[in-house]
Amino acid sequence: MRKKLKSEMGWSTADRIVVRGRDLAGELIGKVSLGDFAFLELKGRLPTKQESIVFNAITVTLVEHGMTPSVIAARLTYFGAPESLQGAVAAGLLGMGDRFGGSAEDAARMLQEALDGPPLPRQREQSISPHPARRSARRVGERVEKEDLKALASQIVSDHKARKQPVAGLGHPVHKPVDPRTVRLFEVASENGLSGRYVKLMQLVGNEATQVFGRDLPVNATGAIGAIASELGIPWRVCRGLAVMARAIGLVAHLQEEMEEPLAAEIWSRIEDESSSHLRPSSD
Amino acid sequence: MRKKLKSEMGWSTADRIVVRGRDLAGELIGKVSLGDFAFLELKGRLPTKQESIVFNAITVTLVEHGMTPSVIAARLTYFGAPESLQGAVAAGLLGMGDRFGGSAEDAARMLQEALDGPPLPRQREQSISPHPARRSARRVGERVEKEDLKALASQIVSDHKARKQPVAGLGHPVHKPVDPRTVRLFEVASENGLSGRYVKLMQLVGNEATQVFGRDLPVNATGAIGAIASELGIPWRVCRGLAVMARAIGLVAHLQEEMEEPLAAEIWSRIEDESSSHLRPSSD
Amino acid sequence: MRKKLKSEMGWSTADRIVVRGRDLAGELIGKVSLGDFAFLELKGRLPTKQESIVFNAITVTLVEHGMTPSVIAARLTYFGAPESLQGAVAAGLLGMGDRFGGSAEDAARMLQEALDGPPLPRQREQSISPHPARRSARRVGERVEKEDLKALASQIVSDHKARKQPVAGLGHPVHKPVDPRTVRLFEVASENGLSGRYVKLMQLVGNEATQVFGRDLPVNATGAIGAIASELGIPWRVCRGLAVMARAIGLVAHLQEEMEEPLAAEIWSRIEDESSSHLRPSSD
Amino acid sequence: MRKKLKSEMGWSTADRIVVRGRDLAGELIGKVSLGDFAFLELKGRLPTKQESIVFNAITVTLVEHGMTPSVIAARLTYFGAPESLQGAVAAGLLGMGDRFGGSAEDAARMLQEALDGPPLPRQREQSISPHPARRSARRVGERVEKEDLKALASQIVSDHKARKQPVAGLGHPVHKPVDPRTVRLFEVASENGLSGRYVKLMQLVGNEATQVFGRDLPVNATGAIGAIASELGIPWRVCRGLAVMARAIGLVAHLQEEMEEPLAAEIWSRIEDESSSHLRPSSD
């Protein structure tokens, strides 16, 4: 007996295309922005005005980070395969893994598991979002209401310290003592009524870690994004996807620049020469 | 002597991040939507209100097309590599090639080469966008002013017919006799003052082809997108990138659904069983 | 002060190409097989006759597994981007993650960490292969000599049981009660003098797990490959790479078949129809 | 009515795995090398001794080319996504496009279309390999017998000159006046009875082009590989795949080196600093 294949994303007939229950031509094109459409895709409904501002704010933050390893990889790939722009973007996205895309995911996971609890055993297989009933139960009663977020933050930091693990979403090699994006993102969330327990907990974790580890560990941009995405009800497993979708935009723009002012051949030539110079005959 | 590496996309210091000349935290986060940020990335400036509506309209159209080959590939990839959401999105994007992502590119190329001329020999190497001076010269004088777009459309269609090549951007296996997205996209472009010569030429090509080939060949969504992207001054080589960046959003949303309601194992099992059934021992 | 870029893999001048210290045209082409060349790439030296047979045996086992999710993804990708065979292969490889390619890696890691010890803290950053001196010390003295592999196997299985984790490299949904590849791989290793402590430990772990978990858990093909790769001194982090390089061959062959007898359009059409049938108007 | 899904590549039951009609455990593991297994995958039969030497020779040639753009992209990708070795290999393969992997394909296409004729119109849709009957007819009679390969070579070169297109498979920026790999590959092919009309035609095209274009244009390695692959009956569309499968091996080996001696962070840092130095405040 076969399982029925089912998707709720969209369908079409000769004269209609429907996305998430809405008529593409009649209700969406020309009326909804790309960021709001992304929210619709992920949540199954359009955002409120406040949600729109906040969701666009976090995705905008993830688009462009200059000449990152991911961008350089995309440019080098385009050099070898100019017939396949999609391949160069894909190569760039493949670098959005644990080190880059993963940090917002890790922060969101830490917060969601702390405030919503780990999924129940059966859920672990079945669902990525905490069971709604349980979630509200949790919020109202059991843990979050009666605990105090500060105690939760202490526990998170001491757990990480005991495991000798860095806390996700804290610190930045360049943007210190504060990450200007974090300040602004938390401001935008707050102005739009989306600065709740997840944001508060993230901030408390940052304060606590700064004390416990004895050095500046402010919340960085990915920590802020993980917290705010949690406020928007985005499951932590999808948070890496926010970075991926945003970065796809940045990669296309870098490839456009590479078409006009190519850097790949120069990068290749320098690296190849230097990295084999100790092997080549000296007269060469 | 080495070539200097240079990129205009962005830079940062400890307390500032600058994208395309604008302060990310101060000017962009919370103020600019994802679609407008994409426009900024590609064009180096923010869109006008009209450009924003039109640019968002064309990218929104490209996000979600249901259970396409690209989406199925992404879901199957996630099944094998759940640690790497970015890999599943990349696998999905790799299918946005000549057959899918390429059609808007082909339409834009046809229109841009007809109205702006093929790049001059030196340009071919150096630049993806037509030389501005020449472009305006063309527009005002030489060809487009005095020609009539109808003659150009005739020539394009007869050239394609002679080469036995289908005309890019026309016809659709499902959406006929008209593609509802095209109607809406052209309406949005027109309402916002962005329905110029490229759009007109695309429409005339559709009419002409319908007559010459003797069957309904209306402008499809990718034809409309290719034409409108040309109105926005987006070089044809980048048009495939519009599909790629938009589809990255749709792929993340499909993967979220796959996490909650997995289809990959069922798809695998059916296809494997059927495709090897003629080889297996019959008692099996 | 910049770090010098250095690679030992190869270099070339106008009249010479040198790979891993050997002249490509003079010493390798026409003399060394593809599998032995892969060994040279990974180990920096050519294999002995015995090592060649065993290394080729494990890589051969990984090439072709029929219509897997990875193969289906590659075929669907080729359908959308026929201009880019490399993109279709890449899409297929992206599915060789934790679930498939990762299993040989996990088995090898389990065995290498048990017999060679976890890397010392500084090594963790610097090197993927255990420190040679320490490794031999371990082998001769400390742990492995005096311990008994059976005790180590017991400990591994009880650790996994306590953590409610499946043991890597054991059991198979289809190939039971024994995996015919395992039998053959261990036979080939043994005939060629490469069945040492890693293989023995893997086998003992299989026996122990079968008893402790109370069901058949024989060593599967990836368990055998992880053990034999360890005998060949291949670091566990690279074992997933063996699956990746082998599968690239299988994917090219499947794409050749797809070119001659395409399945992608049929797969797409079936899945799309079924997965949206509950959403479409019933008259459709 | 649905099309039946069918693949001839392999199948398995509880106690058997069959690849291309042969029992994996009983007939292949421990008996067949990786290169010969690749031949089996592509051709459906094992190679003769001569075919084995020649097929292994061409694939070996494609494995390692030092620090190419593709390798650098793979290393940068691994830096960002160390959890996904398969993603880093995929990123590297994505650069094996028209510029690199495509050159052997282009040479094989040129030779196969010249000697076997362009596919008949219906074939163009249906099959990638020339119709066998027609192919032998061609060879015995029509064109190749009565023509002289020299005339064919002249025509090819003058066609390319007229179209201002470079001839595939000729010349090399570094390996001049001769490519040492070509000399060796043709020698190996000849020693093994696989130097027929395709090789001869490729050599004649090289001579002719050198005269007509007035500069050294010897057959390069990809020209030799395209010709020899044609001798082995490999369709030109698959030739890019030979480069892809071989390069997957080289990429895994480079990633192993990157794990032990990482270069990615240094490459990133240099490129980022230099490419934004003209934008940063000078005090920075």
Side-chain angles (χ1 to χ4, degrees), chain B residues 2-284:
Chain B
R2 293 304 196 174
K3 175 178 172 177
K4 170 84 164 65
L5 303 178
K6 258 171 103 165
S7 167
E8 308 300 323
M9 302 305 295
W11 56 274
S12 60
T13 58
D15 61 353
R16 283 190 76 190
I17 293 125
V18 176
V19 175
R20 287 294 210 165
R22 288 171 178 267
D23 188 84
L24 180 65
E27 296 177 68
L28 300 169
I29 293 175
K31 295 180 181 158
V32 168
S33 76
L34 184 64
D36 288 2
F37 197 95
F39 188 97
L40 170 65
E41 281 274 292
L42 288 173
K43 306 281 296 178
R45 64 172 177 82
L46 286 167
T48 63
K49 180 120 205 291
Q50 286 73 30
E51 287 169 333
S52 169
I53 293 170
V54 172
F55 181 78
N56 277 282
I58 59 175
T59 51
V60 152
T61 306
L62 293 160
V63 170
E64 176 62 63
H65 289 193
M67 288 289 269
T68 56
S70 151
V71 160
I72 305 166
R75 288 172 178 256
L76 290 165
T77 302
Y78 185 75
F79 178 75
E83 78 281 13
S84 168
L85 183 69
Q86 74 275 11
V89 175
L93 292 183
L94 289 171
M96 299 297 291
D98 278 1
R99 186 185 290 256
F100 297 115
S103 48
E105 174 184 305
D106 291 344
R109 179 179 195 169
M110 176 180 79
L111 300 171
Q112 292 181 20
E113 290 189 348
L115 289 170
D116 310 323
L120 301 168
R122 263 193 69 222
Q123 282 183 301
R124 200 179 281 272
E125 295 308 308
Q126 289 184 330
S127 169
I128 54 159
S129 46
H131 191 284
R134 171 171 167 185
R135 182 163 169 169
S136 56
R138 273 271 171 81
R139 295 206 154 201
V140 181
E142 258 187 272
R143 185 147 89 195
V144 181
E145 190 81 82
K146 85 167 166 257
E147 58 77 88
D148 112 44
L149 289 168
K150 205 147 176 298
L152 208 48
S154 284
Q155 189 195 316
I156 288 171
V157 172
S158 61
D159 283 358
H160 280 79
K161 196 174 184 189
R163 292 197 308 267
K164 289 175 196 200
Q165 258 196 328
V167 184
L170 301 185
H172 196 281
V174 173
H175 303 302
K176 44 192 177 186
V178 290
D179 188 325
R181 299 167 293 185
T182 303
V183 178
R184 179 64 183 140
L185 285 165
F186 282 155
E187 190 179 70
V188 171
S190 171
E191 286 166 7
N192 288 282
L194 283 157
S195 183
R197 289 171 177 283
Y198 299 99
V199 167
K200 189 71 198 155
L201 179 57
M202 190 73 234
Q203 290 166 330
L204 290 168
V205 166
N207 298 344
E208 180 74 15
T210 297
Q211 288 202 322
V212 168
F213 290 96
R215 58 196 169 91
D216 270 342
L217 286 170
V219 179
N220 61 31
T222 55
I225 289 166
I228 295 171
S230 301
E231 298 290 344
L232 292 166
I234 295 172
W236 61 262
R237 272 190 188 80
V238 178
C239 287
R240 182 182 300 214
L242 299 178
V244 170
M245 65 170 66
R247 194 54 59 89
I249 293 170
L251 286 164
V252 172
H254 273 274
L255 290 168
Q256 180 185 254
E257 191 182 59
E258 180 72 19
M259 291 171 193
E260 303 213 24
E261 196 65 63
L263 306 180
E266 175 65 23
I267 291 170
W268 172 24
S269 151
R270 290 187 195 183
I271 293 173
E272 187 184 39
D273 285 358
E274 180 175 335
S275 62
S276 62
S277 66
H278 65 298
L279 297 173
R280 291 162 188 276
S282 57
S283 62
D284 189 45

Side-chain angles (χ1 to χ4, degrees), chain D residues 24 54 85 91 102-103 107 110 115 146 151 167 185-186 192 210 246 282:
Chain D
L24 180 64
V54 172
L85 183 70
S103 49
M110 175 180 80
L115 289 170
K146 82 166 169 259
V167 184
L185 285 165
F186 281 156
N192 288 282
T210 296
S282 57

